[in-house]
Amino acid sequence: MTKPIIAIVGKPNVGKSTIFNRIIGERVSIVEDTPGITRDRIYSSGEWLTHDFNLIDTGGIDLGDEPFQKQIRAQAEVAIDESDVIIFMVNGREGVTQADEMVARILYKSNKPVVLAVNKIDNPEMRSDIYDFYSLGFGEPFPISGSHGLGLGDLLDEAAKHFPTNEDPDYDDETIRLSLIGRPNVGKSSLINAILGEERVIVSPIAGTTRDAIDTLYTVDDQEYVLIDTAGMRKKGKVYESTEKYSVLRALKAIERSNVVLVVIDAEEGIIEQDKKVAGYAHEAGKAIVIVVNKWDTVEKDSKTMKKFEEKVRDNFQFLDYAPIAFVSALEKSRLKTLFPLIQMADENHRKRVQSSTLNEVITDAVAMNPTPTDNGRRLNIFYATQVAIQPPTFVVFVNDAELMHFSYKRFLENRIRDAFGFEGTPVHLISRKRN
Ligand code: GDP
Ligand code: GDP
């Protein structure tokens, strides 16, 4: 199921990123602190009371040195193209400005629902300041304060009234939902064409359509796959498409709908910082991952080349130490058949359930081998562990005091669980909980 998407637009300094961070804040803090993962995000999932949605801060779309008007126009276009509901944000301390009117004119022309938020209304006395904003033509203005977290519930309730009924096609649970991510020009489109052109691959004539994405259904050796969001890789010819933030936004939307993500890198160009960022998002989303080194045809090889390249990949993607690596050439359509077994394995492990009894034996053995840490004379006590979720496999370990579960010990337990059950291709999450 795809979550509805809310985009925030408005001229600079009205408080878009403050609100964005406030709404997603709680979620980010529970995300693992993984080196190499950027924090300057513009897209995230959010929860507010009973609402579950994704949020875009269009203020992060930056066209570099382009003039103000062009920037704002691009941001509004991203909101119109990528979201279901738009929160149009203005500054309650300033009154209506020309820039607000400009944004309003762009939004009028779209068919998207718009909710008007008047920010910086930090106390009730200021509420009368919002009436001017009726003139923008979007109905009732909602007073909020990003600094104080006021009014957000009412605003999001209003936005939620406009959420579309779920239009995401339902696929069979056994179907592997697959996406390819990577920075521009690593060969994602070429790879998709090469995969779909493989002899054993039978492409279904029916494609599922959701919002602006077109899914391709295909079968390999009786396994059904859906390739997510290939339409997103087709270019719309808009000015914002070349920005890095926008390509990350597209990737995140595709990642979210996937079970397995292929992180594509370019053997010819090597690995750069942007590759790590993109891969970090897939990791953070808890998806099964296969690293695909494309353009393998461009590399001059001897017997050690692959091993050396693999070391380089491992070095650069330390947080993806569980992901298998495939070396392929989309251009020569070579080695593609090495890819399917890895995808299948990663998917199987991603949805694997283990028995509690075996899990607890593994934990007991691990503790016998490497005693639990102590802090100020207090020792971590592990009572019991159980798997609480799949996709990704998630384990809860009940302990006497969760604070005593240090990162390194958690990592050790994760690795023992991996060794015992074989979770290649999938992240595993381990949560410690105090037992009452
Ligand atoms: P953006 O450019 O629209 O993303 O705006 P920012 O979120 O960066 O906020 C711009 C400035 O307004 C910052 O200095 C914020 O601290 C401030 N700000 C944001 N929300 C509020 C608010 O509710 N009340 C007040 N007084 N200041 C705010
Ligand atoms: P995308 O932006 O990631 O979708 O990348 P494209 O599929 O558009 O490919 C970018 C460029 O890389 C194109 O010129 C392709 O022909 C080229 N390319 C893609 N795959 C390979 C490959 O395996 N080997 C070589 N030598 N070039 C490739």
Side-chain angles (χ1 to χ4, degrees):
M1 190 188 126
T2 315
K3 290 182 202 161
I5 299 171
I6 303 175
I8 310 176
V9 290
K11 65 179 163 59
N13 282 317
V14 294
K16 296 183 296 299
S17 68
T18 305
I19 295 291
F20 177 83
N21 288 324
R22 198 170 259 283
I23 294 174
I24 69 163
E26 211 163 314
R27 191 189 144 73
V28 168
S29 62
I30 59 166
V31 167
E32 234 179 304
D33 199 12
T34 312
I37 293 182
T38 174
R39 288 280 163 243
D40 65 331
R41 67 182 71 214
I42 63 159
Y43 183 82
S44 179
S45 44
E47 283 144 41
W48 194 272
L49 302 177
T50 57
H51 308 304
D52 215 359
F53 50 84
N54 287 310
L55 192 63
I56 305 173
D57 172 10
T58 62
I61 305 276
D62 184 359
L63 301 181
D65 296 333
E66 296 291 342
F68 177 75
Q69 298 207 343
K70 206 166 169 184
Q71 302 265 10
I72 295 230
R73 174 169 294 278
Q75 292 173 1
E77 281 176 356
V78 169
I80 292 167
D81 291 347
E82 303 291 333
S83 73
D84 301 301
V85 183
I86 296 169
I87 292 179
F88 173 21
M89 197 174 291
V90 294
N91 182 347
R93 303 195 164 210
E94 269 183 335
V96 178
T97 67
Q98 275 190 345
D100 295 331
E101 282 166 349
M102 187 185 118
V103 175
R105 277 194 299 275
I106 301 169
L107 296 181
Y108 290 149
K109 292 196 207 115
S110 79
N111 291 320
K112 289 285 157 80
V114 174
V115 181
L116 180 61
V118 183
N119 190 32
K120 310 199 186 184
I121 305 296
D122 298 337
N123 56 63
E125 296 83 71
M126 296 171 69
R127 280 180 158 244
S128 55
D129 296 348
I130 70 174
Y131 296 105
D132 272 357
F133 294 97
Y134 270 103
S135 71
L136 286 170
F138 293 104
E140 187 189 351
F142 284 78
I144 58 171
S145 165
S147 314
H148 297 82
L150 300 172
L152 294 179
D154 288 347
L155 176 68
L156 291 169
D157 279 343
E158 180 63 23
K161 286 185 193 157
H162 303 283
F163 284 169
T165 46
N166 189 26
E167 49 172 319
D168 202 17
D170 271 335
Y171 296 113
D172 197 67
D173 193 42
E174 302 292 302
T175 302
I176 299 178
R177 283 170 288 149
L178 185 72
S179 62
L180 285 82
I181 61 165
R183 63 187 158 89
N185 284 319
V186 292
K188 296 179 296 299
S189 315
S190 309
L191 257 173
I192 286 167
N193 289 331
I195 290 172
L196 297 180
E198 279 277 273
E199 212 172 283
R200 291 180 304 147
V201 172
I202 304 153
V203 178
S204 150
I206 310 141
T209 311
T210 128
R211 290 199 190 102
D212 51 350
I214 295 174
D215 299 341
T216 309
L217 278 155
Y218 67 95
T219 312
V220 192
D221 301 336
D222 293 331
Q223 171 67 54
E224 194 169 89
Y225 293 84
V226 182
L227 200 54
I228 304 278
D229 205 11
T230 53
M233 292 175 197
R234 286 189 214 135
K235 327 278 182 216
K236 287 189 191 144
K238 296 261 173 91
V239 50
Y240 54 73
E241 278 174 356
S242 57
T243 64
E244 189 193 330
K245 285 273 170 60
Y246 179 74
S247 59
V248 169
L249 169 76
R250 295 296 323 194
L252 286 171
K253 283 176 82 170
I255 288 169
E256 195 169 336
R257 297 187 53 226
S258 311
N259 309 123
V260 183
V261 176
L262 304 186
V263 173
V264 185
I265 56 181
D266 182 334
E268 191 175 21
E269 301 251 315
I271 300 159
I272 65 167
E273 206 50 40
Q274 201 181 338
D275 293 317
K276 291 192 220 174
K277 244 191 227 182
V278 173
Y281 285 116
H283 168 74
E284 203 174 336
K287 303 301 180 174
I289 295 178
V290 178
I291 298 171
V292 182
V293 181
N294 187 35
K295 309 198 187 180
W296 196 232
D297 57 288
T298 62
V299 177
E300 217 175 294
K301 301 170 196 72
D302 61 34
S303 61
K304 294 201 183 78
T305 315
M306 200 178 278
K307 185 139 188 35
K308 275 196 203 138
F309 206 99
E310 183 173 343
E311 277 166 19
K312 206 156 46 171
V313 173
R314 293 291 172 218
D315 236 30
N316 278 283
F317 297 100
Q318 285 178 18
F319 55 96
L320 291 185
D321 53 1
Y322 53 82
I325 307 173
F327 295 84
V328 304
S329 164
L331 188 73
E332 297 186 339
K333 301 187 171 37
S334 57
R335 303 182 51 84
L336 290 170
K337 58 177 156 327
T338 64
L339 198 54
F340 297 115
L342 296 179
I343 294 171
Q344 241 171 328
M345 173 193 66
D347 182 67
E348 265 168 37
N349 290 335
H350 193 231
R351 54 175 91 214
K352 177 149 63 185
R353 277 183 205 282
V354 306
Q355 279 196 323
S356 276
S357 53
T358 325
L359 175 67
N360 282 285
E361 278 168 31
V362 170
I363 302 274
T364 308
D365 286 352
V367 173
M369 195 166 96
N370 180 7
T372 53
T374 54
D375 194 7
N376 276 330
R378 293 190 61 228
R379 180 174 291 281
L380 172 72
N381 258 329
I382 298 178
F383 302 118
Y384 185 73
T386 184
Q387 180 171 3
V388 293
I390 58 166
Q391 294 179 318
T394 304
F395 303 92
V396 169
V397 182
F398 292 96
V399 298
N400 57 335
D401 180 356
E403 297 273 303
L404 293 170
M405 178 70 89
H406 294 161
F407 180 75
S408 60
Y409 201 77
K410 187 172 144 203
R411 195 65 207 217
F412 162 73
L413 290 179
E414 271 171 24
N415 286 333
R416 297 306 306 150
I417 291 173
R418 280 187 178 285
D419 291 347
F421 299 105
F423 280 116
E424 192 176 358
T426 176
V428 301
H429 291 173
L430 202 138
I431 302 160
S432 26
R433 283 264 159 75
K434 182 181 164 65
R435 191 187 68 175
N436 290 315

